[in-house]
Amino acid sequence: MDISATLLQGAQNAFYQVGKMALILIPIIVFLEILRDLHIVQQGSRLFAPLMRIFRLPGEAAVPIVVGLVFGILYGAGVLIQAGKDGSLNAKEMTVIGLFLSLNHAIIEDPLLFTMIGADYLLLQALRLVASVVITALFAMWLLPPLSVPVREVAQSNS
Amino acid sequence: MNPTEMNASRPTVIDQPSVSKDTFVRGFSKGLKTLWLMSKFMFPLIILVTVLGKTPWLAMLGNAFAPILALIGLPGEASVGILLGMATNLYAAIGAVAPLNMTVKQATIFGFFLLISHGLLIEGAITKNFGAPAWKLTGLRLLTSFLFAFLLNVLWPS
């Protein structure tokens, strides 16, 4: 094995990945700032709030989840880190979203790759969705307080 | 309740929705900070993973793991693909099993397993930002992969 050629290839890979990330991540974050200033994110996340209840999460959690599902874990993580810094999500909520995104992300691109070796695309993604929702919901039941009491108040009264 | 009623019942928003130059500057600088945070983890790991893929170590490990894969209905030869996929990425995994001519069932189980658990080194580094230790989330991914792949193998008539 030619070590220097391999290292060079690794560095090229890394530059390529970071460059690709910059091209997608920065426009997404700028786009999200625009959505936020137009108050669209707050309105839009209401649509997903009922779904987030499955994971005992507030409606705001829908934003990193939707970004991660469509664009991949890296971009979902970028939005999630931002939400953590803004204080709109706490550490435990981030962990639950992080688990869901770990299990299920890039739902358009990734399953398509496996059709090349003869896998069933719809079955793959449907099964992945079921598995990730079941495991994340169970994890949330263990980690987060029930939603009947507003999550934010519980977090404050405990601290 | 129709949208008009909802708007009427909502208090007036003092902070009017508006986009200015500040929006773009803020977004761009937040984007750059996040990019920097992630590059610090990703850059050295991508180099490490590329080097690892060139060594015979992954193939040697594959032979050792073959009996475990029989539990989820995969042929022993697929273990190299599974390990490559878990350590590096889906492209490497698919490249490794493409010559095997697996059945639809085998290919779907293989695909499902790796869709849940892939790129564990790089994505594990990303999950460090998720508030829990990376090994916990990675462990849950592997558990989910095994559990549901096992169920799929048992329930799918061959």
Side-chain angles (χ1 to χ4, degrees), chain A residues 31-52:
Chain A
F31 178 65
L32 284 169
E33 287 299 313
I34 294 170
L35 289 187
R36 181 174 302 161
D37 284 0
L38 289 176
H39 298 185
I40 292 171
V41 176
Q42 294 91 321
Q43 314 277 338
S45 55
R46 282 176 201 206
L47 293 172
F48 293 94
L51 283 175
M52 294 300 108

Side-chain angles (χ1 to χ4, degrees), chain A residues 1 3 6-7 9-11 13-15 17-18 21-22 25-26 29-30 33-34 36-39 43 46 73-82 85-86 91 94-99 101-105 109-111 113-114 116-120 123-125 127-128 130-132 134-135 139 142, chain B residues 6 10 13 15-20 22-24 26-28 30-35 37-39 42-44 46-47 50-52 54-55 90-91 93-94 97-98 102-105 107-118 123 126-127 129-132 136-137 140-141 144 147-148 152 156:
Chain A
M1 180 177 68
I3 269 286
T6 307
L7 284 176
Q9 194 194 338
N13 265 351
F15 266 115
Q17 291 294 335
V18 170
M21 202 163 76
L25 188 67
I26 294 176
I29 291 184
V30 170
E33 287 299 313
I34 294 170
R36 181 174 302 161
D37 284 0
L38 289 176
H39 298 185
Q43 314 277 338
R46 282 176 201 206
I73 190 169
L74 206 52
Y75 311 110
V79 178
L80 187 55
I81 292 167
Q82 207 51 62
K85 281 185 188 159
D86 292 350
M94 283 176 72
T95 302
V96 171
I97 299 167
L99 174 64
L101 284 183
S102 296
L103 297 173
N104 200 354
H105 51 259
E109 186 185 341
D110 285 0
L113 297 174
F114 288 102
M116 292 196 299
I117 54 165
D120 186 322
L123 184 62
L124 265 186
Q125 189 49 45
L127 194 69
R128 188 190 193 191
V130 169
S132 55
V134 168
I135 297 294
F139 185 70
W142 172 72
Chain B
M6 274 175 72
R10 199 178 297 147
V13 182
D15 184 15
Q16 286 300 321
S18 70
V19 171
S20 65
D22 184 53
T23 310
F24 291 89
R26 187 155 28 88
F28 197 76
K30 277 186 183 179
L32 276 184
K33 276 180 194 157
T34 311
L35 186 70
L37 189 71
M38 289 178 160
S39 311
M42 284 186 65
F43 208 89
I46 289 176
I47 293 178
T50 309
V51 174
L52 207 64
K54 299 271 178 188
T55 68
L90 297 179
Y91 301 97
I94 289 165
V97 296
M102 292 195 288
T103 63
V104 174
K105 179 182 173 178
T108 305
I109 291 175
F110 180 83
F112 171 78
F113 189 99
L114 284 182
L115 275 181
I116 297 282
S117 300
H118 59 254
E123 291 187 2
I126 296 169
T127 62
N129 301 303
F130 288 168
K136 274 192 185 171
L137 293 183
L140 277 169
R141 287 178 82 169
T144 309
L147 184 67
F148 283 83
L152 189 59
W156 188 330

Side-chain angles (χ1 to χ4, degrees), chain B residues 48-132:
Chain B
L48 178 75
V49 161
T50 309
V51 174
L52 207 64
K54 299 271 178 188
T55 68
W57 301 331
L58 287 174
M60 283 157 67
L61 272 173
N63 293 332
F65 278 94
I68 300 171
L69 288 195
L71 286 175
I72 55 172
L74 291 180
E77 295 92 329
S79 57
V80 179
I82 290 277
L83 285 174
L84 264 179
M86 289 199 299
T88 64
N89 56 52
L90 297 179
Y91 301 97
I94 289 165
V97 296
L100 293 185
N101 283 320
M102 292 195 288
T103 63
V104 174
K105 179 182 173 178
Q106 287 172 333
T108 305
I109 291 175
F110 180 83
F112 171 78
F113 189 99
L114 284 182
L115 275 181
I116 297 282
S117 300
H118 59 254
L120 298 178
L121 296 177
I122 288 169
E123 291 187 2
I126 296 169
T127 62
K128 272 188 181 172
N129 301 303
F130 288 168

Side-chain angles (χ1 to χ4, degrees), chain B residues 1-12:
Chain B
M1 193 196 287
N2 68 40
T4 324
E5 281 169 340
M6 274 175 72
N7 284 334
S9 65
R10 199 178 297 147
T12 316

